Amino acid sequence: TFNVGGEAGKADKEAKDEKKAETKSDAKADTKKSSGMEVEEKAPSADTKNSSNEDVVQRIRSVLGDDMITTLIKELVGGQQAVHYREELRVQLLRLTTLLIEHLHSQLTSYRKDLIKFAWNHLKSDNSASKQWAYVNVCRFIDVYETPPKIVLQVYVALLRTYQPEARKLVSKALDIITPALPKRLSLGKHKHPTWIKWTKKIIVEEGHLV
């Protein structure tokens, strides 16, 4: 025989147990909140980012050392042998110098000519990998160093016109770097609107169907 009273009593007991558990959980949450144990997630502050960047700089310098960095740039990047490097080595050097420019730009100011020359020569490359990494490198250079407006606009427009599927990932990376730098590198001058906005609109209208 089905015991209605027993089942009802069991259900009532389970409901009371659940209510007690919820009450305890709420009490613990209130205790954490009042004691400051509950910490809200916040975006990294500017001081945190600067501290992180300094840590990266120290690690790079501790691994490579100032003398090795100088040799790397003057001999490998700025030397006459660069034109004879295999494609794989060129790509890796472009990636390495991009990181050095990003994190050690203040220490590499005297080597700006060597750095931009090495990357710029690869913009003429027929190989897609080295060419796209060269764009990433040049965009990082533009981001941290003063660059002639004509060069900045030339690089930006060239990236907007690069629509090949195999280049999309690195082109997107390069644009993510150069776009925030455009306002500080390209002044309004006599123009009512920024020149890069005009070129962005122009290329979307003329070449948007190719994407």
Side-chain angles (χ1 to χ4, degrees):
T1 304
F2 186 71
N3 189 345
V4 177
E7 292 298 326
K10 187 185 293 185
D12 185 54
K13 186 176 181 302
E14 290 177 354
K16 287 181 180 180
D17 290 341
E18 287 180 4
K19 190 172 182 179
K20 285 182 181 179
E22 289 176 1
T23 303
K24 288 182 180 179
S25 177
D26 291 341
K28 286 181 180 179
D30 291 338
T31 302
K32 285 184 178 181
K33 192 172 183 180
S34 61
S35 63
M37 293 174 64
E38 186 176 346
V39 181
E40 294 182 1
E41 291 186 4
K42 296 181 180 179
S45 64
D47 292 338
T48 302
K49 290 181 179 179
N50 290 335
S51 176
S52 176
N53 187 61
E54 289 175 4
D55 290 342
V56 173
V57 170
Q58 292 303 321
R59 288 173 189 165
I60 293 174
R61 298 185 74 172
S62 65
V63 172
L64 296 179
D66 292 341
D67 291 340
M68 185 175 290
I69 291 173
T70 300
T71 302
L72 171 71
I73 296 173
K74 296 300 292 184
E75 301 297 331
L76 287 178
V77 174
Q80 298 298 320
Q81 298 298 317
V83 294
H84 304 297
Y85 294 157
R86 294 179 59 183
E87 189 62 28
E88 294 84 356
L89 178 57
R90 293 181 186 182
V91 169
Q92 296 307 319
L93 284 173
L94 285 165
R95 296 179 68 177
L96 176 58
T97 51
T98 300
L99 287 174
L100 293 178
I101 291 170
E102 179 181 2
H103 297 291
L104 297 177
H105 52 272
S106 58
Q107 291 91 342
L108 300 178
T109 303
S110 58
Y111 303 118
R112 286 179 299 174
K113 185 177 179 180
D114 293 313
L115 292 166
I116 193 61
K117 183 179 179 182
F118 179 71
W120 197 264
N121 287 337
H122 286 83
L123 294 182
K124 308 168 189 175
S125 173
D126 294 329
N127 184 281
S128 178
S130 61
K131 184 174 185 176
Q132 303 316 319
W133 271 109
Y135 272 116
V136 174
N137 186 291
V138 171
C139 287
R140 183 59 70 188
F141 184 97
I142 291 171
D143 178 46
V144 300
Y145 294 125
E146 287 290 340
T147 310
K150 183 179 179 180
I151 298 299
V152 177
L153 191 59
Q154 182 179 342
V155 171
Y156 178 65
V157 171
L159 286 168
L160 291 179
R161 285 180 167 155
T162 304
Y163 54 83
Q164 291 80 2
E166 66 274 11
R168 187 169 298 171
K169 185 176 180 180
L170 289 178
V171 168
S172 178
K173 182 180 179 71
L175 284 170
D176 285 344
I177 296 170
I178 194 174
T179 302
L182 293 177
K184 64 182 178 182
R185 300 293 178 231
L186 296 175
S187 60
L188 276 175
K190 298 179 180 179
H191 303 283
K192 183 178 179 180
H193 301 290
T195 53
W196 71 87
I197 292 180
K198 181 190 76 174
W199 277 100
T200 303
K201 181 179 178 181
K202 177 181 173 65
I203 293 171
I204 289 175
V205 171
E206 293 180 354
E207 304 183 24
H209 64 283
L210 298 174
V211 179

Coordinates of all heavy atoms in Angstrom, one line a residue, residues 13-100:
K13 N 10.8 17.1 4.5 CA 12.1 17.1 5.2 C 13.2 17.5 4.1 O 14.1 18.3 4.4 CB 12.4 15.7 5.7 CG 13.7 15.6 6.5 CD 13.9 14.2 7.1 CE 15.2 14.1 7.9 NZ 16.4 14.5 7.1
E14 N 13.1 17.0 2.9 CA 14.0 17.3 1.9 C 14.0 18.8 1.5 O 15.0 19.5 1.3 CB 13.8 16.5 0.6 CG 14.1 15.1 0.7 CD 13.8 14.3 -0.5 OE1 13.1 14.9 -1.4 OE2 14.1 13.1 -0.6
A15 N 12.8 19.4 1.5 CA 12.6 20.8 1.2 C 13.2 21.7 2.3 O 13.9 22.7 2.1 CB 11.1 21.2 1.1
K16 N 13.1 21.2 3.6 CA 13.7 22.0 4.7 C 15.2 21.9 4.7 O 15.9 22.9 4.9 CB 13.2 21.4 6.0 CG 11.7 21.7 6.4 CD 11.3 21.1 7.7 CE 9.9 21.5 8.0 NZ 9.5 20.9 9.3
D17 N 15.7 20.7 4.3 CA 17.2 20.6 4.2 C 17.8 21.5 3.1 O 18.8 22.1 3.3 CB 17.6 19.1 3.9 CG 17.3 18.2 5.1 OD1 17.2 18.7 6.2 OD2 17.2 16.9 4.8
E18 N 17.1 21.6 2.0 CA 17.5 22.4 0.9 C 17.5 23.9 1.3 O 18.4 24.7 1.0 CB 16.6 22.3 -0.4 CG 16.8 20.9 -1.1 CD 15.9 20.8 -2.3 OE1 15.2 21.8 -2.6 OE2 15.9 19.7 -2.9
K19 N 16.5 24.3 2.1 CA 16.4 25.7 2.5 C 17.5 26.0 3.5 O 18.1 27.1 3.4 CB 15.0 25.9 3.2 CG 14.7 27.3 3.5 CD 13.3 27.5 4.0 CE 13.0 29.0 4.2 NZ 11.6 29.2 4.7
K20 N 17.9 25.0 4.3 CA 19.0 25.2 5.3 C 20.3 25.4 4.5 O 21.1 26.2 4.9 CB 19.1 24.0 6.2 CG 18.0 24.0 7.3 CD 18.2 22.8 8.2 CE 17.1 22.8 9.3 NZ 17.3 21.6 10.2
A21 N 20.5 24.6 3.5 CA 21.7 24.6 2.7 C 21.9 26.0 2.0 O 22.9 26.6 2.0 CB 21.8 23.5 1.7
E22 N 20.7 26.5 1.5 CA 20.7 27.8 0.8 C 21.1 28.9 1.8 O 21.8 29.8 1.5 CB 19.4 28.0 0.1 CG 19.1 27.2 -1.1 CD 17.7 27.4 -1.7 OE1 17.0 28.2 -1.1 OE2 17.4 26.7 -2.7
T23 N 20.5 28.8 3.0 CA 20.7 29.8 4.0 C 22.2 29.8 4.4 O 22.8 30.9 4.6 CB 19.8 29.5 5.3 OG1 18.5 29.4 4.9 CG2 20.0 30.6 6.4
K24 N 22.8 28.6 4.6 CA 24.2 28.6 4.9 C 25.1 29.2 3.9 O 26.0 29.9 4.1 CB 24.6 27.1 5.2 CG 24.1 26.5 6.5 CD 24.6 25.1 6.7 CE 24.1 24.5 8.0 NZ 24.5 23.1 8.1
S25 N 24.7 28.9 2.6 CA 25.5 29.4 1.4 C 25.4 30.9 1.4 O 26.4 31.6 1.2 CB 25.0 28.8 0.1 OG 25.6 29.3 -1.0
D26 N 24.2 31.4 1.6 CA 24.0 32.9 1.6 C 24.8 33.5 2.8 O 25.4 34.6 2.6 CB 22.6 33.3 1.7 CG 21.8 32.9 0.5 OD1 22.4 32.7 -0.6 OD2 20.5 32.8 0.6
A27 N 24.8 32.9 3.9 CA 25.5 33.4 5.1 C 27.0 33.4 4.8 O 27.7 34.4 5.2 CB 25.2 32.5 6.3
K28 N 27.6 32.4 4.2 CA 29.0 32.4 3.8 C 29.4 33.5 2.9 O 30.4 34.1 3.0 CB 29.4 31.0 3.2 CG 29.4 29.9 4.2 CD 29.8 28.6 3.6 CE 29.9 27.4 4.6 NZ 30.3 26.2 3.9
A29 N 28.5 33.7 1.9 CA 28.7 34.7 0.9 C 28.8 36.1 1.5 O 29.6 36.9 1.2 CB 27.7 34.7 -0.2
D30 N 27.8 36.3 2.5 CA 27.7 37.6 3.2 C 29.0 37.8 4.0 O 29.5 38.9 4.1 CB 26.5 37.7 4.1 CG 25.2 37.7 3.2 OD1 25.3 38.2 2.0 OD2 24.1 37.4 3.7
T31 N 29.5 36.7 4.7 CA 30.7 36.8 5.5 C 31.9 37.2 4.7 O 32.7 38.0 5.1 CB 30.9 35.4 6.2 OG1 29.8 35.1 7.0 CG2 32.1 35.5 7.1
K32 N 32.0 36.6 3.5 CA 33.2 36.9 2.6 C 33.1 38.3 2.2 O 34.1 39.0 2.1 CB 33.2 35.9 1.4 CG 33.6 34.5 1.7 CD 33.7 33.7 0.4 CE 34.2 32.3 0.7 NZ 34.2 31.5 -0.6
K33 N 31.9 38.7 1.8 CA 31.7 40.1 1.3 C 32.1 41.1 2.4 O 32.8 42.1 2.1 CB 30.3 40.3 0.8 CG 30.1 41.6 0.0 CD 28.7 41.6 -0.6 CE 28.6 42.8 -1.5 NZ 27.2 42.9 -2.1
S34 N 31.6 40.9 3.6 CA 31.8 41.8 4.7 C 33.3 41.8 5.1 O 33.8 42.8 5.6 CB 30.9 41.5 5.9 OG 31.2 40.2 6.4
S35 N 33.9 40.7 5.0 CA 35.3 40.6 5.5 C 36.3 41.0 4.4 O 37.5 41.0 4.6 CB 35.6 39.2 6.0 OG 35.5 38.3 4.9
G36 N 35.8 41.3 3.2 CA 36.7 41.6 2.1 C 37.3 40.5 1.4 O 38.2 40.6 0.6
M37 N 36.9 39.2 1.7 CA 37.4 38.1 1.1 C 37.0 37.9 -0.4 O 37.7 37.3 -1.2 CB 37.0 36.8 1.9 CG 37.7 36.7 3.2 SD 37.0 35.3 4.2 CE 37.6 34.0 3.2
E38 N 35.8 38.4 -0.7 CA 35.3 38.3 -2.0 C 35.9 39.5 -2.9 O 35.7 40.7 -2.6 CB 33.8 38.4 -2.0 CG 33.2 38.2 -3.4 CD 31.6 38.2 -3.3 OE1 31.1 38.1 -2.2 OE2 31.0 38.3 -4.4
V39 N 36.7 39.1 -3.8 CA 37.4 40.1 -4.7 C 36.8 40.1 -6.1 O 36.7 39.1 -6.7 CB 38.9 39.8 -4.7 CG1 39.6 40.9 -5.6 CG2 39.5 39.7 -3.3
E40 N 36.4 41.3 -6.5 CA 35.9 41.4 -7.8 C 37.0 41.5 -8.8 O 38.1 42.0 -8.6 CB 35.1 42.7 -8.0 CG 33.8 42.8 -7.1 CD 33.0 44.0 -7.3 OE1 33.5 44.9 -8.2 OE2 32.0 44.2 -6.7
E41 N 36.8 40.8 -10.0 CA 37.8 40.8 -11.1 C 37.8 42.2 -11.7 O 36.8 42.8 -12.1 CB 37.4 39.8 -12.1 CG 37.6 38.4 -11.6 CD 37.4 37.3 -12.7 OE1 37.2 37.8 -13.9 OE2 37.4 36.2 -12.4
K42 N 39.0 42.7 -11.8 CA 39.2 44.1 -12.4 C 40.2 44.0 -13.6 O 41.0 43.1 -13.6 CB 39.7 45.1 -11.4 CG 38.7 45.3 -10.2 CD 39.2 46.3 -9.3 CE 38.3 46.6 -8.1 NZ 38.8 47.5 -7.1
A43 N 40.0 44.9 -14.5 CA 41.0 45.0 -15.6 C 42.3 45.4 -15.1 O 42.4 46.2 -14.1 CB 40.5 46.0 -16.7
P44 N 43.4 44.9 -15.7 CA 44.8 45.3 -15.2 C 44.9 46.8 -15.3 O 44.6 47.4 -16.3 CB 45.7 44.6 -16.2 CG 44.9 43.5 -16.8 CD 43.5 44.0 -16.8
S45 N 45.5 47.4 -14.2 CA 45.7 48.8 -14.2 C 46.9 49.1 -15.1 O 47.7 48.3 -15.5 CB 46.0 49.3 -12.8 OG 47.1 48.7 -12.3
A46 N 47.2 50.5 -15.3 CA 48.3 50.9 -16.1 C 49.6 50.5 -15.4 O 50.6 50.1 -16.0 CB 48.3 52.4 -16.3
D47 N 49.6 50.6 -14.0 CA 50.8 50.2 -13.2 C 51.1 48.8 -13.4 O 52.3 48.4 -13.5 CB 50.6 50.6 -11.7 CG 50.5 52.1 -11.5 OD1 51.0 52.8 -12.4 OD2 50.0 52.5 -10.5
T48 N 50.1 47.9 -13.4 CA 50.3 46.5 -13.6 C 50.9 46.2 -14.9 O 51.8 45.3 -15.1 CB 48.9 45.7 -13.4 OG1 48.4 46.0 -12.1 CG2 49.1 44.2 -13.6
K49 N 50.3 46.8 -16.0 CA 50.8 46.6 -17.3 C 52.3 47.1 -17.4 O 53.1 46.4 -18.1 CB 50.0 47.4 -18.4 CG 48.6 46.8 -18.5 CD 47.8 47.6 -19.6 CE 46.4 47.1 -19.8 NZ 45.6 47.8 -20.7
N50 N 52.6 48.2 -16.8 CA 54.0 48.7 -16.9 C 54.9 47.8 -16.2 O 56.1 47.5 -16.6 CB 54.1 50.1 -16.3 CG 53.4 51.2 -17.1 OD1 53.3 51.0 -18.3 ND2 53.0 52.2 -16.5
S51 N 54.5 47.2 -15.0 CA 55.3 46.3 -14.3 C 55.5 45.0 -15.1 O 56.6 44.5 -15.1 CB 54.6 46.0 -13.0 OG 55.3 45.0 -12.2
S52 N 54.5 44.5 -15.8 CA 54.6 43.4 -16.6 C 55.6 43.6 -17.7 O 56.4 42.7 -18.0 CB 53.2 43.0 -17.1 OG 53.3 41.9 -18.0
N53 N 55.5 44.7 -18.4 CA 56.4 45.1 -19.5 C 57.8 45.1 -19.0 O 58.8 44.7 -19.6 CB 56.0 46.4 -20.1 CG 56.8 46.7 -21.3 OD1 56.8 45.9 -22.3 ND2 57.6 47.8 -21.3
E54 N 58.1 45.7 -17.8 CA 59.4 45.8 -17.2 C 59.9 44.4 -16.9 O 61.1 44.1 -17.1 CB 59.4 46.6 -15.9 CG 59.2 48.1 -16.2 CD 59.0 48.9 -14.9 OE1 59.2 48.2 -13.8 OE2 58.8 50.1 -15.0
D55 N 59.1 43.5 -16.5 CA 59.5 42.1 -16.3 C 60.0 41.4 -17.5 O 61.0 40.7 -17.6 CB 58.3 41.3 -15.7 CG 58.0 41.7 -14.2 OD1 58.9 42.3 -13.6 OD2 56.9 41.4 -13.7
V56 N 59.2 41.7 -18.6 CA 59.6 41.1 -19.9 C 60.9 41.7 -20.4 O 61.8 40.9 -20.9 CB 58.5 41.4 -21.0 CG1 59.0 41.0 -22.4 CG2 57.2 40.7 -20.6
V57 N 61.1 43.0 -20.2 CA 62.4 43.6 -20.6 C 63.5 43.0 -19.9 O 64.6 42.7 -20.4 CB 62.3 45.1 -20.3 CG1 63.7 45.7 -20.5 CG2 61.3 45.8 -21.3
Q58 N 63.4 42.8 -18.6 CA 64.4 42.2 -17.7 C 64.8 40.8 -18.2 O 65.9 40.4 -18.2 CB 64.1 42.3 -16.3 CG 64.0 43.7 -15.7 CD 65.3 44.4 -15.8 OE1 66.4 43.9 -15.7 NE2 65.2 45.7 -16.2
R59 N 63.7 40.0 -18.5 CA 63.9 38.6 -18.9 C 64.7 38.6 -20.2 O 65.6 37.8 -20.4 CB 62.6 37.9 -19.1 CG 61.9 37.6 -17.7 CD 60.5 37.1 -18.0 NE 59.8 37.0 -16.7 CZ 58.5 36.8 -16.7 NH1 57.8 36.7 -17.8 NH2 57.8 36.7 -15.5
I60 N 64.3 39.5 -21.2 CA 65.0 39.5 -22.5 C 66.5 39.8 -22.3 O 67.3 39.2 -22.8 CB 64.3 40.5 -23.4 CG1 62.9 40.0 -23.8 CG2 65.1 40.7 -24.7 CD1 62.1 41.0 -24.6
R61 N 66.7 40.9 -21.5 CA 68.1 41.3 -21.3 C 68.9 40.3 -20.5 O 70.1 40.2 -20.7 CB 68.1 42.7 -20.6 CG 67.4 43.8 -21.4 CD 67.5 45.1 -20.8 NE 68.8 45.7 -20.9 CZ 69.1 46.9 -20.6 NH1 68.2 47.7 -20.1 NH2 70.3 47.4 -20.8
S62 N 68.3 39.6 -19.6 CA 69.0 38.6 -18.8 C 69.4 37.4 -19.7 O 70.4 36.7 -19.5 CB 68.2 38.1 -17.6 OG 67.0 37.4 -18.1
V63 N 68.5 37.1 -20.7 CA 68.8 35.9 -21.6 C 69.8 36.3 -22.7 O 70.7 35.6 -22.9 CB 67.5 35.4 -22.2 CG1 67.8 34.3 -23.2 CG2 66.6 34.8 -21.1
L64 N 69.5 37.4 -23.3 CA 70.4 37.8 -24.4 C 71.6 38.6 -24.0 O 72.7 38.4 -24.5 CB 69.5 38.6 -25.5 CG 68.4 37.8 -26.1 CD1 67.7 38.8 -27.1 CD2 68.9 36.6 -26.9
G65 N 71.4 39.6 -23.1 CA 72.5 40.5 -22.7 C 72.6 41.6 -23.8 O 72.3 41.5 -24.9
D66 N 73.1 42.8 -23.3 CA 73.2 43.9 -24.2 C 74.2 43.7 -25.3 O 73.9 44.1 -26.4 CB 73.6 45.2 -23.3 CG 72.5 45.6 -22.4 OD1 71.4 45.2 -22.6 OD2 72.9 46.3 -21.4
D67 N 75.3 43.0 -25.0 CA 76.3 42.8 -26.1 C 75.7 41.9 -27.2 O 75.9 42.1 -28.4 CB 77.5 42.1 -25.5 CG 78.3 43.1 -24.6 OD1 78.1 44.3 -24.7 OD2 79.1 42.6 -23.7
M68 N 74.9 40.9 -26.8 CA 74.4 40.0 -27.8 C 73.3 40.7 -28.6 O 73.2 40.4 -29.8 CB 73.8 38.7 -27.1 CG 73.3 37.7 -28.1 SD 72.7 36.2 -27.3 CE 74.3 35.5 -26.7
I69 N 72.5 41.5 -28.0 CA 71.5 42.3 -28.7 C 72.1 43.2 -29.7 O 71.7 43.3 -30.9 CB 70.6 43.1 -27.7 CG1 69.8 42.1 -26.9 CG2 69.7 44.0 -28.5 CD1 69.0 42.8 -25.8
T70 N 73.2 43.8 -29.3 CA 74.0 44.7 -30.3 C 74.5 43.9 -31.4 O 74.4 44.3 -32.6 CB 75.1 45.4 -29.5 OG1 74.6 46.2 -28.5 CG2 75.9 46.3 -30.5
T71 N 75.1 42.8 -31.2 CA 75.7 41.9 -32.2 C 74.6 41.4 -33.1 O 74.7 41.4 -34.4 CB 76.4 40.7 -31.6 OG1 77.5 41.2 -30.7 CG2 77.0 39.9 -32.7
L72 N 73.5 41.0 -32.6 CA 72.3 40.5 -33.3 C 71.9 41.6 -34.4 O 71.7 41.3 -35.5 CB 71.2 40.2 -32.4 CG 69.8 39.9 -33.0 CD1 69.9 38.5 -33.7 CD2 68.7 39.9 -32.0
I73 N 71.7 42.8 -33.9 CA 71.2 43.9 -34.8 C 72.3 44.3 -35.8 O 72.0 44.4 -37.0 CB 70.7 45.1 -34.0 CG1 69.5 44.6 -33.1 CG2 70.3 46.2 -34.9 CD1 69.1 45.7 -32.2
K74 N 73.5 44.5 -35.3 CA 74.5 45.1 -36.2 C 75.1 44.0 -37.2 O 75.4 44.4 -38.4 CB 75.7 45.6 -35.4 CG 75.4 46.8 -34.5 CD 74.9 48.0 -35.3 CE 76.0 48.6 -36.1 NZ 75.5 49.8 -36.8
E75 N 75.2 42.8 -36.8 CA 75.7 41.7 -37.7 C 74.7 40.9 -38.4 O 74.8 40.7 -39.6 CB 76.6 40.8 -36.8 CG 77.8 41.5 -36.1 CD 78.8 42.1 -37.0 OE1 78.9 41.6 -38.2 OE2 79.4 43.1 -36.6
L76 N 73.7 40.4 -37.7 CA 72.7 39.6 -38.4 C 71.6 40.4 -39.1 O 71.3 40.1 -40.3 CB 72.0 38.7 -37.3 CG 72.8 37.6 -36.8 CD1 72.0 36.8 -35.7 CD2 73.3 36.6 -37.9
V77 N 71.1 41.4 -38.5 CA 70.1 42.2 -39.1 C 70.6 43.3 -40.0 O 70.1 43.5 -41.2 CB 69.2 42.9 -38.0 CG1 68.1 43.8 -38.6 CG2 68.5 41.8 -37.2
G78 N 71.6 44.0 -39.6 CA 72.2 45.1 -40.3 C 73.3 44.8 -41.2 O 73.8 45.6 -42.0
G79 N 73.8 43.5 -41.1 CA 75.0 43.1 -41.9 C 74.7 42.9 -43.4 O 73.5 42.9 -43.8
Q80 N 75.7 42.8 -44.2 CA 75.6 42.6 -45.6 C 75.1 41.1 -46.0 O 74.7 40.9 -47.1 CB 76.9 42.8 -46.3 CG 77.4 44.3 -46.1 CD 76.5 45.3 -46.7 OE1 75.9 45.1 -47.8 NE2 76.3 46.4 -46.0
Q81 N 75.2 40.2 -45.0 CA 74.8 38.8 -45.3 C 73.3 38.6 -45.3 O 72.9 37.5 -45.7 CB 75.5 37.9 -44.3 CG 77.0 38.0 -44.3 CD 77.6 37.5 -45.6 OE1 77.1 36.5 -46.2 NE2 78.6 38.2 -46.1
A82 N 72.6 39.6 -44.8 CA 71.1 39.3 -44.7 C 70.4 38.9 -46.0 O 69.5 38.1 -45.9 CB 70.5 40.6 -44.1
V83 N 70.9 39.4 -47.1 CA 70.3 39.1 -48.4 C 70.5 37.6 -48.7 O 69.7 37.1 -49.6 CB 70.8 39.9 -49.5 CG1 70.5 41.4 -49.3 CG2 72.4 39.8 -49.6
H84 N 71.4 36.9 -48.1 CA 71.7 35.5 -48.4 C 71.0 34.5 -47.4 O 71.2 33.3 -47.6 CB 73.2 35.3 -48.4 CG 74.0 36.2 -49.3 ND1 73.8 36.2 -50.7 CD2 74.9 37.1 -49.1 CE1 74.6 37.0 -51.3 NE2 75.3 37.7 -50.3
Y85 N 70.3 35.0 -46.5 CA 69.6 34.2 -45.5 C 68.5 33.4 -46.1 O 67.8 33.8 -47.1 CB 69.0 35.0 -44.3 CG 70.0 35.7 -43.5 CD1 69.7 36.8 -42.7 CD2 71.3 35.3 -43.4 CE1 70.6 37.5 -41.9 CE2 72.3 35.9 -42.6 CZ 71.9 37.0 -41.9 OH 72.8 37.7 -41.1
R86 N 68.3 32.2 -45.6 CA 67.2 31.3 -46.0 C 65.9 32.0 -45.5 O 65.9 32.7 -44.5 CB 67.3 29.9 -45.5 CG 68.5 29.2 -46.1 CD 68.6 27.8 -45.5 NE 67.4 27.0 -45.8 CZ 67.2 25.7 -45.3 NH1 68.2 25.2 -44.6 NH2 66.1 25.1 -45.6
E87 N 64.8 31.6 -46.1 CA 63.5 32.3 -45.8 C 63.1 32.0 -44.4 O 62.6 32.9 -43.7 CB 62.4 31.7 -46.7 CG 61.1 32.4 -46.6 CD 61.2 33.9 -47.0 OE1 62.1 34.2 -47.9 OE2 60.4 34.7 -46.5
E88 N 63.4 30.8 -43.9 CA 63.0 30.5 -42.5 C 63.7 31.4 -41.5 O 63.1 31.8 -40.5 CB 63.3 29.0 -42.2 CG 62.5 28.0 -43.0 CD 63.0 27.7 -44.4 OE1 64.0 28.4 -44.7 OE2 62.5 26.9 -45.1
L89 N 65.0 31.6 -41.7 CA 65.8 32.5 -40.8 C 65.3 33.9 -40.9 O 65.2 34.6 -39.9 CB 67.3 32.4 -41.2 CG 68.2 33.3 -40.4 CD1 68.1 33.0 -38.9 CD2 69.7 33.1 -40.8
R90 N 64.9 34.4 -42.1 CA 64.4 35.7 -42.2 C 63.2 35.9 -41.4 O 63.0 37.0 -40.7 CB 64.2 36.0 -43.7 CG 65.4 36.1 -44.6 CD 65.0 36.4 -46.0 NE 66.2 36.3 -46.9 CZ 66.2 36.6 -48.2 NH1 65.0 37.0 -48.7 NH2 67.2 36.5 -48.9
V91 N 62.3 35.0 -41.5 CA 61.0 35.1 -40.7 C 61.3 35.1 -39.2 O 60.7 35.9 -38.5 CB 60.1 33.9 -41.1 CG1 58.9 33.8 -40.1 CG2 59.6 34.0 -42.5
Q92 N 62.2 34.2 -38.8 CA 62.5 34.2 -37.3 C 63.2 35.5 -36.9 O 62.9 36.0 -35.8 CB 63.3 33.0 -37.0 CG 62.6 31.7 -37.2 CD 61.3 31.5 -36.6 OE1 61.1 32.0 -35.4 NE2 60.3 31.0 -37.3
L93 N 64.0 36.1 -37.7 CA 64.7 37.3 -37.3 C 63.6 38.5 -37.3 O 63.7 39.3 -36.4 CB 65.8 37.6 -38.3 CG 67.1 36.8 -38.1 CD1 68.1 37.1 -39.3 CD2 67.7 37.1 -36.8
L94 N 62.7 38.4 -38.2 CA 61.7 39.5 -38.2 C 60.8 39.4 -37.0 O 60.4 40.4 -36.3 CB 60.8 39.3 -39.5 CG 61.4 39.8 -40.8 CD1 60.6 39.3 -42.0 CD2 61.5 41.3 -40.8
R95 N 60.5 38.1 -36.6 CA 59.7 37.9 -35.4 C 60.4 38.4 -34.1 O 59.9 39.0 -33.2 CB 59.3 36.5 -35.2 CG 58.4 36.0 -36.4 CD 58.0 34.5 -36.2 NE 57.2 34.3 -35.1 CZ 56.7 33.1 -34.8 NH1 56.9 32.0 -35.6 NH2 55.9 32.9 -33.7
L96 N 61.7 38.0 -34.1 CA 62.5 38.4 -32.9 C 62.7 39.9 -32.8 O 62.5 40.5 -31.7 CB 63.9 37.7 -33.0 CG 64.9 38.1 -31.9 CD1 64.4 37.7 -30.5 CD2 66.3 37.4 -32.1
T97 N 63.0 40.6 -33.9 CA 63.2 42.0 -33.9 C 61.9 42.7 -33.6 O 61.9 43.8 -33.0 CB 63.8 42.5 -35.2 OG1 63.1 42.1 -36.3 CG2 65.3 42.1 -35.3
T98 N 60.8 42.2 -34.0 CA 59.5 42.8 -33.6 C 59.3 42.8 -32.1 O 58.9 43.8 -31.5 CB 58.3 42.0 -34.3 OG1 58.5 42.0 -35.7 CG2 57.0 42.6 -33.9
L99 N 59.7 41.7 -31.4 CA 59.6 41.6 -30.0 C 60.6 42.6 -29.3 O 60.2 43.3 -28.3 CB 59.9 40.2 -29.5 CG 58.8 39.2 -29.7 CD1 59.3 37.8 -29.3 CD2 57.5 39.5 -29.0
L100 N 61.8 42.7 -29.9 CA 62.8 43.6 -29.3 C 62.3 45.1 -29.5 O 62.5 45.9 -28.6 CB 64.1 43.4 -30.0 CG 64.8 42.1 -29.8 CD1 66.1 42.0 -30.6 CD2 65.1 41.9 -28.3

